[in-house]
Amino acid sequence: MSYRTAPVEIREKLALNGRGVDEAYDFLTKCDGIEGTVILSTCNRTEIYITTRDIEKSKGAIKSFFEDYMQIKYEEISPYLYQPSCHDAIYHLFKVASGLDSMVLGETQIIGQVKDAYQKARDLGVTEGVLNTLFQKAIYVGKRVRTETMIDQHPVSVSYAAVELARNILGSLTDKTVMVIGAGEMSKLATEYLVQNGASSVIVSNRSYDKALELAERFKGKAVKFDEMEKYLLVSDIIISCTSANHYVIRWDNCSNALKKRDGRKIIMIDIAVPRDIDPLLKDINGVFVYDIDDLQNVVDTSYLMRQKAARKAQKIIDEEIEQFNEWLSCLYVVPVIKALRNRGEEIKQKELGRAFNRLGNLSEREMKVIVSMANSIVNQLLHFPIINLKEMALGNQGHMYAELTKKLFALEVDEEEQDKYVGFEIRD
């Protein structure tokens, strides 16, 4: 689920952070059919990546996750979900890591979020070889895109878009007072852009006063305690809020009186948190403008055209890397199966040749060669098209399924050490 498929009020129902992620992993790893999983949960998306050998069983596990763990009826959210499989999912993750699927094209934060999500899952021991390789490759692709296209050098991040929205309404940020609620990365970026664009005074409020103090000192601003936030609404022109709270931080009951005392003086309240920090009802107060993260989609900088140009170049890079990864994935599934299939053919051939020679008695060397040649020809012709077709199918979206089907049809046992040789794709830093 992402901003492309669901509004913020739906996305916030599926937002996972803190201990919620640990508990979600605990639930998912106990589901039958799921071999590995990574959860990517940001302001704009909640995505669950899994590796499985039984797609239908795993889809059932995901449905159970929503209904039994998240306590959400699947029918209510299914219209907002996208469910790509195998190569489509790989392609999607590469685009996400490269910033091509972000609300603000080419945003910088997402690659760090992908890296953190993967590291979290790996630290908890819920990934496996294929998933490790996929995320390492995705992170590499994201880095390569930014290095070769400079897509993130044109300042249009979510934080920058928030600043542009404030500028569009106030006309100028010069001599404006800004209060930033939350001291995370998004808040730091917003503060940096505000100062660069003329904000004269910065106030930082955070539940952890030490973190607020640290951010305020960085920009020569003022740190205030969280319970003192209300009185500073009287002197602020812009509010940027991005905390990890699971409820409104700026509410009608704790902030409406202060906002009414402004007597209609404009104050821009920009909520870039999911779940939302600011009660949208506050916009009913004269002079108060409230915007959430979805509103930022309409704020674009002139440099967005440059990002679109860079995105076209990035797409070519992703296509190259997808082809390389697909070749690796094909080898992972197909090569060990083909070897096992040939070994099975050789095993049957040798067994039947031994039985035939015992029954036929004394044979000349020429007769034995003719029989061996015939047995080789039969096995090779019988396996020729299955092997050729398996190689071709491996390059498609369902290649891994055909490999599994071949294993079942011929009762093949693939050597785990043989298959493990193909896990561990070399990722260039």
Side-chain angles (χ1 to χ4, degrees):
M1 176 183 289
S2 77
Y3 75 96
R4 292 182 183 275
T5 66
V8 64
E9 58 266 23
I10 299 297
R11 297 201 307 275
E12 64 189 4
K13 292 182 179 181
L14 266 66
L16 291 165
N17 51 55
R19 291 187 60 186
V21 175
D22 293 6
E23 293 170 356
Y25 276 130
D26 185 59
F27 183 97
L28 286 168
T29 53
K30 293 176 180 176
C31 292
D32 191 22
I34 294 181
E35 298 182 26
T37 181
V38 174
I39 297 172
L40 175 62
S41 185
T42 72
C43 293
N44 289 327
R45 68 186 69 249
T46 294
E47 299 180 344
I48 303 173
Y49 293 84
I50 64 169
T51 44
T52 181
R53 297 174 192 273
D54 191 326
I55 289 179
E56 292 307 314
K57 186 178 291 185
S58 295
K59 284 182 178 179
I62 295 298
K63 182 178 179 180
S64 176
F65 170 76
F66 289 133
E67 294 188 337
D68 299 336
Y69 175 75
M70 300 292 290
Q71 296 293 302
I72 300 172
K73 290 184 179 180
Y74 185 75
E75 291 74 16
E76 293 180 3
I77 60 170
S78 59
Y80 303 103
L81 303 178
Y82 45 86
Q83 302 179 57
S85 296
C86 199
H87 296 287
D88 291 336
I90 296 166
Y91 179 73
H92 176 76
L93 180 58
F94 284 10
K95 288 186 67 177
V96 169
S98 300
L100 300 192
D101 194 64
S102 296
M103 180 180 289
V104 178
L105 185 65
E107 68 153 316
T108 304
Q109 293 86 0
I110 187 62
I111 189 170
Q113 292 167 332
V114 170
K115 188 175 181 179
D116 291 343
Y118 164 61
Q119 191 60 53
K120 172 74 171 179
R122 189 163 188 180
D123 289 344
L124 291 174
V126 296
T127 62
E128 47 72 66
V130 174
L131 210 53
N132 288 338
T133 302
L134 171 61
F135 271 82
Q136 290 170 26
K137 185 68 168 175
I139 293 165
Y140 162 73
V141 171
K143 290 180 179 178
R144 182 185 167 192
V145 164
R146 285 165 175 79
T147 300
E148 296 185 19
T149 70
M150 307 295 285
I151 193 170
D152 58 346
Q153 297 304 304
H154 310 286
V156 191
S157 68
V158 169
S159 298
Y160 191 83
V163 175
E164 286 300 295
L165 181 60
R167 197 211 308 267
N168 290 341
I169 294 171
L170 297 175
S172 171
L173 300 183
T174 303
D175 298 328
K176 294 297 185 290
T177 297
V178 181
M179 181 159 67
V180 182
I181 302 171
E185 190 61 32
M186 295 281 279
S187 300
K188 292 177 183 177
L189 287 171
T191 306
E192 182 178 339
Y193 287 135
L194 288 164
V195 171
Q196 289 176 355
N197 287 273
S200 59
S201 178
V202 175
I203 300 169
V204 182
S205 181
N206 191 62
R207 289 196 183 277
S208 169
Y209 183 72
D210 290 340
K211 288 186 177 179
L213 191 62
E214 180 183 345
L215 183 59
E217 289 178 350
R218 177 176 172 181
F219 295 101
K220 298 180 180 179
K222 179 179 181 179
V224 300
K225 294 182 178 180
F226 211 67
D227 56 5
E228 297 178 341
M229 174 181 62
E230 180 184 0
K231 65 181 181 181
Y232 287 94
L233 293 174
L234 290 169
V235 297
S236 299
D237 300 294
I238 305 167
I239 305 294
I240 301 284
S241 187
C242 186
T243 74
S244 59
N246 57 8
H247 54 76
Y248 293 144
V249 174
I250 303 176
R251 307 182 305 277
W252 185 274
D253 64 315
N254 69 345
C255 293
S256 60
N257 288 336
L259 292 171
K260 290 175 181 178
K261 290 178 182 178
R262 294 176 58 88
D263 295 326
R265 285 187 298 114
K266 289 183 179 179
I267 180 170
I268 316 302
M269 309 183 78
I270 301 175
D271 188 348
I272 53 179
V274 175
R276 288 173 291 179
D277 283 343
I278 303 174
D279 187 345
L281 292 178
L282 292 172
K283 66 183 178 183
D284 293 336
I285 299 173
N286 185 32
V288 176
F289 298 82
V290 178
Y291 298 93
D292 62 34
I293 196 166
D294 283 356
D295 296 314
L296 300 181
Q297 188 172 5
N298 299 319
V299 182
V300 293
D301 189 78
T302 54
S303 62
Y304 195 78
L305 293 176
M306 296 298 294
R307 290 203 175 205
Q308 288 182 318
K309 183 177 180 180
R312 290 191 287 272
K313 184 177 180 182
Q315 188 64 61
K316 294 180 180 179
I317 293 173
I318 291 174
D319 290 342
E320 292 173 7
E321 296 293 345
I322 280 288
E323 184 176 353
Q324 185 185 25
F325 188 87
N326 285 346
E327 288 176 0
W328 170 81
L329 193 61
S330 300
C331 290
L332 170 66
Y333 288 109
V334 172
V335 173
V337 173
I338 290 175
K339 287 187 176 181
L341 186 59
R342 284 173 173 161
N343 289 339
R344 174 56 58 85
E346 182 66 21
E347 177 186 328
I348 294 172
K349 182 192 74 176
Q350 294 297 338
K351 180 180 177 180
E352 295 305 317
L353 281 175
R355 291 176 62 185
F357 289 153
N358 287 336
R359 291 180 180 181
L360 292 172
N362 294 328
L363 296 172
S364 67
E365 184 177 344
R366 179 178 177 280
E367 290 171 332
M368 292 181 68
K369 285 184 177 180
V370 169
I371 294 173
V372 170
S373 177
M374 180 184 66
N376 285 334
S377 180
I378 291 172
V379 171
N380 289 338
Q381 289 186 55
L382 185 64
L383 298 183
H384 175 72
F385 285 109
I387 290 174
I388 292 296
N389 290 334
L390 195 56
K391 288 180 178 178
E392 291 180 356
M393 291 171 179
L395 299 178
N397 287 347
Q398 299 297 321
H400 62 297
M401 298 302 294
Y402 285 108
E404 287 297 316
L405 181 60
T406 302
K407 286 167 63 176
K408 290 182 179 179
L409 286 174
F410 290 90
L412 302 177
E413 292 185 6
V414 176
D415 187 347
E416 290 186 5
E417 292 186 2
E418 179 70 25
Q419 186 158 327
D420 285 346
K421 290 195 304 184
Y422 297 93
V423 178
F425 195 88
E426 183 179 354
I427 302 301
R428 294 159 289 178
D429 193 1

